[in-house]
Structure formats: C-alpha cells, structure tokens
Amino acid sequence: MEGGSSRLYRSTDYGKSFHDISQRINHTFIREEFGVSVGPGSSVILTADIPVLDNPGGIIFTSTDAGATFKFILLPFHLAQPITYHFLNPDYLAALSIDGALWLSLDFGARWTKVHDGVHTFSWGAGINLFFSCSKVDAVEADERGDLQLKRTQDLGKTFTTIHEDVYSFGYIGAFLFFSVMEDSRSPRVMYFSSDQGDTFSRALLPSASTEQFYSILDGDDDMLFMHVDNPGDTFFGTMYTSDDRGILFSKSLERHLFDGQRKSDFTNITSLRGVYLTNKLDEDGRIRSVISFNRGGMWRQLKKPENVDCGEQVKNCNLHIHGEHSRNNRIVPMLALTEPTAIGLVIAHGTVGDSLSSSQRPDVYVSSDGGYNWRGTLRGPHHYSILDSGGLIVAVEAQHEGQVKTIKFSTDEGQCWKSYNFTEQAFFFAGLASEPGTKAMSVSVWGFRPEDDGQPMWVAVTIDFQSLITRECNSQDYEQWLAHSTQGEGSGSAGCVLGVKETYTRLKKQSVCRNGRGYVVSKRQSPCLCTREDYLCDYGYYRHVNTSECVRQPSTPNKTLELCLNGEEDELLTAGYRKVPSDRCEGGFSPQLSVQTIIRPCGVKTSPRPPDMYTSQVTHFDTPRERLVLILVCGGAGIIVLIAITSAIFAVRKVVYRNRTPVYRFSNLQIQDDDNCMTADLESATSSNGTACQQDSDVDLIE
C-alpha cells in the first residue's frame, strides 16, 4: 500500500532470535516479488516498492556486511527484474529497466551506466563477458519473430560485438553459450552453440523446431549439456539429447520425455552421487513412469520397488515412481526430490509404488542411501523435509493443507527410524522449513503464523537446535568405507565403475549417533577403470545394435556424406562410430579403433589420404560423378598421381586427427552453412536407436 511500511528483521544466531532493523531502511516498503536479494559473500540488496509514475527511478538499499548497515541509493531507472550479481565480483551488477535498457554498476550500485537500449534478456558469461539480446529497431514482439540480435561486451559496456542476427532467444549454462535462430520466417528454428564465449560457434546437430515447438536446456556443466527437444503438437513430451564437450554433436538419450502443459520438466540432477539423473517419461499408454540414469544419460531404467513396500496382487509391474515438478504444480506434493553434494548417496523424494505414477494414490516419502539404486518407504503422506549436518540428520514436518502443526520428525539413520518432537505448545499454520544453505547446520527453523484476536496473522518462527540432542562429535570409528555404484557391474569385476572411475567414500555409519560438524569435508578415493562399450556413445550417424550392443551405421544413409559444412578451415570428422561419454576417465580396455573405421567428411571436402595400417579393412566407394571423374583422372596420368600424393601427404600431416590411436574430432567452430539438401536426412540419423549415452521459463533454460 502506498505510504505503508514493512518490518525488516535480522538474526545472527541461525534464527533463534531476531532484531527489528526497520529503521536502517527508514521503514521503507520492500517489494514482495524480488525485494530481498542475497549475493556472494555478505552482500545484500533490498528493492523498495514505490510508484513508477510519481518517481523518476527506483530505490535500493545495499549492504556489504549482511545487513548490519545499509546504504540508500536512488536509481536512474525502475527495475523490471531482480538485479543480477556477477558470479565472482559482487561489486559488478547488471540490471534491466522497465523500458528495456541494460544498466551496469561497477561499485555495488553506487553509480549506474546505461549500456544499451532495446534489450530483452542478458546473462553474465565467463570473466567479464556480458551477453544480451536486443531489437534491431524498436520493434514489438521481436523475440516472437526471431528478429533479435545477440551481442557481447568484453569491456563492461564500452564496445560491442554482434554474435548473430535473427536470434529467437539465448542462454548461458556451464561453459556453453547457446542461442536459437530463425533464419527466415518460414523456417524452423535451429540451435547454435559456442564453447569459447561467442568467438566461434557451430550449429548443433539436433532436429530443428517449428514455432509451436521449443528447446529446453535441462542441465549443463563444462563437459556436456542435456537438451530437450519438444515433439510437434500438444503431446506434452519430447526427446532428450546429450551433447559432446563442444555442444555440437548430440546423441539421443531418452524418448517420450515428459514436459507438461506449463513447460515444466521433472528432470532432476541427483547431486549426492556423480552421474545420476532422475526424470519422468510419458509412455504410449498415457501413463507417467519414472526412470533413472547412473551414467549421465547413457542408459535409463525404471526404479526398483522399495524393499519394505509391496504392490497389489493385480499390479504386473511394481516399481517406484517419483513425483516431480509436474506434481508440485498440481499441488500433489509440497516438495521435489532433495539431494545435497555433502550428503553422499542420500536422496529424499515423494513417490508412489505401482505400475505408474498415480495422482489418486496418496504420495509417501521414500529415501535412498545409495544414490537411487535401492529405496525404502520412510514416511506416510506428504512432508516438508530438510537435510542437516551433511546428511547425519534428516528433519521433516507433515504437510497439512488445512490443519496446524506443532511436531517435527527427525532421523539420525537416513530415514530408517524416526522420532517426534513437539516444538511448540500452541500449534500454528505452517509456512516453511528453513535451514542454513549447505547442510552444515544442526538447527532448522519452522515458519508459520497463528491468527490473533483482531483477525490479523502473527508470524511465528521456531528454531530447533539439535546440538542439544546430538552432543557427541563423530570420531574415526563412526565412519565406514563405501563404494559408490557398487551394484553396477556386480559380479563382473567392474563393480562400482561408472564413467570410467571407481569412487570409495568415507561416510557416516547409519547406527552412529553423532555430529559430523561444520568442519566435515567429503573424503573419497578414486581409481580408473578399464574402458568398456558402456563408456562410449554411438557417434553421429550411428546407433547401438539391439543384439550386439555395437554401434553400427544408420542403414538409411549408408553411403551419404553427412552435412557438416563449416566456415573457415574445413576439417574432416574421422570416427569409428563411437565417442567417449563426456567426463569419462576410463583407461585401456575396449578401444573403438579395433573396429572398421569410417570417415564422415564435410560437404565438398574430399577424403584425406590416411596410413593403410590404421584400418583393419577398407572398402572404397565411388558413388558420385565427381568421384568417378577423379578416378578417371588418376588412372590417366602417373605424374598427376605423384603430385596429388605429395600434396595430400602434406595435407594429411597438417590435419592429424588420430593421435596415439585415440579418435579426436576436429571442427571449425564457426557457423555451419545451412544446406537443405542433406541436413534433414542427416539430422534423423544423428542419434543412436536406443538412447545410449545439465527452472526458469523461456529465455534461459527454455529456448522457445
């Protein structure tokens, strides 16, 4: 309300006591949607809620000491969205105004400089790179027509470089800049990726998307991306792909991947164990089923039935199915699956047991201690839950749609046994469960409100400190050695081998009741594994044969040249039909070079000479008129043969693709030339047949 004020409280003892510091911001009313923004270190920004028409600019309060003091700043513009911190330097701030201008501050908001007009979205890149999309002219709905320009500044707004025209939208994740391009109004959108901050870029080998379809970056890091490509029509599903480490070659990972009507995915990175991802798919019978991958999308399988829960007699396929974003949007569950990197192997999630995910069946809470291989039913009904003390303690509060709460449940053995504690005599309506980020804390705050006599709600925060209950510090006898992924390859001598590495962790025994403490650091030992076919994906134009599990060439295009025409230096793509899974560190063992090797070459580039001993067998085809002409010319003159051989030898030395008998891809990273004559067929053959192998809305994670 205009002229009103809000109360600002601050706690320095993990929520046990609060102090009213409203006077430090002159009792100013703070915006509800992005009023409090916490940045790196001890930086905090509060955004005031003031009328736009009566003021030339907005008001923010900045603090560099976690709210002990605040500085009043009058902005020369009104904010359209939260101020964005630079990920390394908190003094560098970027903001978008309601009139579409991009602003920068280099002194934590004290002074602001307009960088560019007509900006739609922006994102920090590596270093001080700043990317943004903007209209060529003051056009309405330019993003809907693909009329945007993608620009970059490397000197904080002094100069600009245009990376690409006709951009529909863009984003930045991991080490990848990605953007979708509409090359003309009648063409479907295509994706481009850059791994060098936009200096060079390549067209991703992915199916194109019409205006009714969308791309979505599900997850990503420096090594690879997970990409969802929507199916045509209102199908609520699409296909998930995984990329190579360049963001160019994509392999099919999972078909019929669920993406609901709100364009939300159930895709979840299980951060408590390397390589594990969880999601839901919409099968042909219209049922939603959960699948899990333990090797970064290389293979997907259904979840095992929990060991202490059974299905009905009439259920043919009994598996655990996990509720995700789709269920939370429909208010079926209050929370998504929860994992933490410091709580090794621990996963807490809502789910149902049966043939498929059921909305009529009441969801219960399930816990896995080994990253999703095995599960246990642990709490009846939906709950709010949190992980404390690096996984040594789990707390939960039952979700009450109408009732009030006064009891918290806790477990010291990863959910096998639970105890209850009444934290208040007077129950109140539950609003949230909060603990210090990072799972190091031993205390948790339960937030809520209770009605007063005057009808106004009184906010209540109760902090429970479990240090008074769990008093003993853990010692070496409380820990055990645990081999991650131990059921993977069990009995074959490769138990625990995932992505080429065995990992043995030191973690707390379930029967130990003690405190890990704030000084706890995850300890693990790594040892490399021998390579197997599971460490490789089928390359572009290949698929994994059902009977032999070998990667074989797509039968639809046995003699066609794959369209990889690149600007700049044209290099060949040499492949044995396999490429190693990104971040896989296996050594020795299976080597694709032992197979018959095929050269997939760019359009218009002839096959380079290659040493004959690199191939166990070799078949030469002369399919095109140009190749037949070359054959005639070669047969016609020995002198020309010698000249070609010498030139080709020099060319081959310059373009060594296989070194140490390990296949390496060499591309020009510049823009791929579009060639409609062969791109469509080759995109269809870009993925393996059985799916072997990182949310906001639209323009960051969702590329529309």
Side-chain angles (χ1 to χ4, degrees):
M1 294 176 60
E2 185 176 354
S5 65
S6 59
R7 314 289 294 199
L8 182 65
Y9 294 89
R10 179 173 181 260
S11 172
T12 57
D13 54 5
Y14 305 103
K16 296 177 185 177
S17 61
F18 282 86
H19 302 281
D20 190 337
I21 59 169
S22 305
Q23 73 282 357
R24 298 179 191 175
I25 59 169
N26 301 322
H27 298 275
T28 305
F29 198 86
I30 302 301
R31 293 188 64 150
E32 180 181 358
E33 59 271 35
F34 53 86
V36 181
S37 177
V38 179
S42 300
S43 57
V44 181
I45 298 176
L46 306 179
T47 303
D49 192 356
I50 62 173
V52 174
L53 297 178
D54 300 335
N55 297 276
I59 293 174
I60 62 173
F61 297 89
T62 61
S63 174
T64 57
D65 51 15
T69 59
F70 281 96
K71 181 179 180 181
F72 172 89
I73 296 175
L74 182 61
L75 298 175
F77 58 92
H78 286 280
L79 286 167
Q81 61 188 46
I83 293 174
T84 302
Y85 293 86
H86 187 272
F87 61 97
L88 289 178
N89 190 340
D91 286 339
Y92 289 179
L93 304 175
L96 193 64
S97 64
I98 58 175
D99 58 356
L102 179 62
W103 294 76
L104 275 181
S105 173
L106 307 182
D107 51 10
F108 197 49
R111 293 182 299 273
W112 291 85
T113 302
K114 183 189 287 189
V115 173
H116 206 284
D117 287 312
V119 174
H120 287 244
T121 58
F122 68 91
S123 177
W124 288 106
I128 58 172
N129 285 293
L130 182 62
F131 303 98
F132 60 92
S133 61
C134 59
S135 304
K136 301 176 186 178
V137 294
D138 189 16
V140 179
E141 296 181 348
D143 55 335
E144 293 297 328
R145 298 198 309 270
D147 290 340
L148 298 175
Q149 293 178 317
L150 178 59
K151 293 187 177 183
R152 176 191 67 192
T153 175
Q154 295 180 297
D155 50 16
L156 300 172
K158 296 178 183 177
T159 60
F160 306 95
T161 300
T162 299
I163 296 176
H164 208 285
E165 305 273 354
D166 303 321
V167 171
Y168 195 84
S169 52
F170 87 98
Y172 187 92
I173 188 170
F176 296 96
L177 170 70
F178 54 91
F179 50 95
S180 62
V181 174
M182 185 176 289
E183 293 171 344
D184 65 63
S185 58
R186 295 166 297 177
S187 299
R189 298 189 310 281
V190 294
M191 289 293 297
Y192 287 85
F193 285 84
S194 173
S195 57
D196 57 7
Q197 303 298 303
D199 288 337
T200 58
F201 50 87
S202 295
R203 178 171 172 172
L205 299 180
L206 276 167
S208 57
S210 67
T211 54
E212 290 78 24
Q213 295 172 268
F214 61 88
Y215 298 103
S216 176
I217 302 293
L218 302 171
D219 193 31
D221 55 24
D222 292 346
D223 294 320
M224 67 176 290
L225 293 166
F226 284 88
M227 169 77 79
H228 174 96
V229 181
D230 183 42
N231 268 36
D234 296 328
T235 60
F236 303 122
F237 68 86
T239 303
M240 185 195 304
Y241 295 86
T242 56
S243 78
D244 65 351
D245 57 0
R246 303 279 291 276
I248 301 172
L249 298 175
F250 281 79
S251 293
K252 187 185 296 182
S253 177
L254 181 67
E255 294 182 316
R256 302 192 67 88
H257 180 235
L258 176 68
F259 232 93
D260 68 11
Q262 284 73 43
R263 292 187 176 179
K264 297 293 184 181
S265 168
D266 291 345
F267 185 85
T268 303
N269 180 2
I270 304 300
T271 59
S272 60
L273 198 61
R274 184 176 66 98
V276 184
Y277 292 85
L278 176 70
T279 194
N280 285 322
K281 57 183 296 191
L282 181 63
D283 284 331
E284 293 183 2
D285 60 3
R287 295 179 179 271
I288 298 174
R289 294 181 174 91
S290 296
V291 288
I292 191 167
S293 173
F294 298 104
N295 61 348
R296 304 198 78 184
M299 296 180 65
W300 296 86
R301 67 182 73 170
Q302 286 193 286
L303 281 68
K304 288 184 179 179
K305 178 189 76 69
E307 57 191 45
N308 60 339
V309 179
D310 292 319
C311 293
E313 295 181 358
Q314 297 181 351
V315 178
K316 295 181 180 180
N317 300 312
C318 186
N319 297 95
L320 175 63
H321 303 278
I322 301 298
H323 287 280
E325 188 69 46
H326 176 73
S327 296
R328 187 173 68 166
N329 285 342
N330 289 296
R331 300 182 180 273
I332 298 173
V333 296
M335 285 190 67
L336 302 178
L338 179 63
T339 64
E340 293 287 351
T342 56
I344 299 300
L346 183 60
V347 188
I348 312 173
H350 288 98
T352 58
V353 175
D355 176 67
S356 61
L357 197 63
S358 172
S359 58
S360 60
Q361 185 179 346
R362 192 184 188 200
D364 295 325
V365 178
Y366 296 86
V367 172
S368 173
S369 298
D370 56 6
Y373 285 96
N374 298 285
W375 297 82
R376 283 182 58 85
T378 186
L379 290 172
R380 293 284 188 181
H383 283 71
H384 299 265
Y385 37 75
S386 182
I387 299 173
L388 305 178
D389 193 35
S390 301
L393 181 65
I394 307 174
V395 296
V397 175
E398 188 173 359
Q400 300 282 356
H401 291 294
E402 301 295 338
Q404 303 183 45
V405 299
K406 63 177 181 179
T407 302
I408 191 169
K409 303 172 185 178
F410 63 94
S411 172
T412 59
D413 55 9
E414 298 183 345
Q416 290 186 346
C417 299
W418 292 86
K419 298 178 177 63
S420 297
Y421 170 68
N422 291 334
F423 56 82
T424 180
E425 294 183 359
Q426 186 178 355
F428 55 80
F429 291 97
F430 178 86
L433 191 66
S435 61
E436 179 188 1
T439 75
K440 295 286 187 180
M442 288 288 296
S443 58
V444 64
S445 296
V446 184
W447 295 81
F449 63 92
R450 60 171 65 103
E452 293 294 285
D453 294 336
D454 58 1
Q456 294 296 318
M458 173 180 152
W459 284 97
V460 179
V462 178
T463 299
I464 302 103
D465 188 351
F466 286 91
Q467 289 189 95
S468 58
L469 176 67
I470 305 172
T471 57
R472 187 174 66 87
E473 296 285 344
C474 297
N475 56 49
S476 59
Q477 302 299 317
D478 293 303
Y479 295 93
E480 63 182 356
Q481 299 299 303
W482 179 69
L483 176 62
H485 300 284
S486 57
T487 58
Q488 190 86 345
E490 196 172 16
S492 63
S494 60
C497 284
V498 169
L499 299 174
V501 175
K502 285 186 179 182
E503 292 179 320
T504 302
Y505 290 89
T506 300
R507 68 175 191 174
L508 192 65
K509 297 176 181 177
K510 289 185 177 62
Q511 63 268 28
S512 295
V513 182
C514 59
R515 297 202 305 253
N516 281 314
R518 289 187 171 274
Y520 174 78
V521 178
V522 174
S523 174
K524 67 179 178 181
R525 299 193 318 272
Q526 291 185 330
S527 58
C529 300
L530 291 175
C531 294
T532 67
R533 280 193 176 92
E534 300 301 322
D535 296 295
Y536 289 86
L537 304 173
C538 291
D539 209 342
Y540 184 82
Y542 288 78
Y543 72 98
R544 196 175 295 274
H545 195 278
V546 176
N547 296 328
T548 65
S549 76
E550 293 184 357
C551 293
V552 295
R553 188 72 181 272
Q554 285 278 4
S556 58
T557 55
N559 296 315
K560 290 184 179 179
T561 299
L562 298 183
E563 295 300 324
L564 296 173
C565 299
L566 310 175
N567 284 337
E569 182 182 272
E570 291 180 317
D571 273 342
E572 292 182 344
L573 170 62
L574 301 181
T575 176
Y578 298 85
R579 61 184 174 91
K580 188 175 284 189
V581 176
S583 75
D584 193 297
R585 299 194 293 263
C586 69
E587 299 175 359
F590 172 74
S591 176
Q593 293 90 318
L594 300 178
S595 305
V596 177
Q597 304 214 17
T598 304
I599 291 183
I600 300 177
R601 61 195 180 191
C603 296
V605 179
K606 297 183 180 182
T607 306
S608 300
R610 52 203 181 269
D613 60 343
M614 289 182 63
Y615 297 87
T616 57
S617 65
Q618 181 175 321
V619 179
T620 304
H621 299 275
F622 299 95
D623 296 318
T624 65
R626 180 178 295 180
E627 289 174 332
R628 296 191 185 101
L629 178 61
V630 171
L631 178 60
I632 294 172
L633 292 175
V634 170
C635 294
I640 297 176
I641 294 175
V642 174
L643 180 60
I644 292 175
I646 295 173
T647 305
S648 300
I650 297 172
F651 187 71
V653 170
R654 184 179 67 84
K655 300 171 70 176
V656 176
V657 181
Y658 287 93
R659 292 189 176 98
N660 300 325
R661 299 187 64 82
T662 301
V664 179
Y665 304 107
R666 302 192 67 235
F667 284 87
S668 163
N669 270 336
L670 297 177
Q671 176 184 4
I672 298 177
Q673 292 290 341
D674 191 10
D675 191 331
D676 293 332
N677 294 329
C678 47
M679 181 62 73
T680 302
D682 295 328
L683 281 173
E684 292 176 356
S685 64
T687 59
S688 58
S689 65
N690 72 336
T692 58
C694 173
Q695 295 188 7
Q696 289 173 286
D697 227 343
S698 58
D699 284 325
V700 178
D701 290 313
L702 191 65
I703 300 300
E704 296 191 74

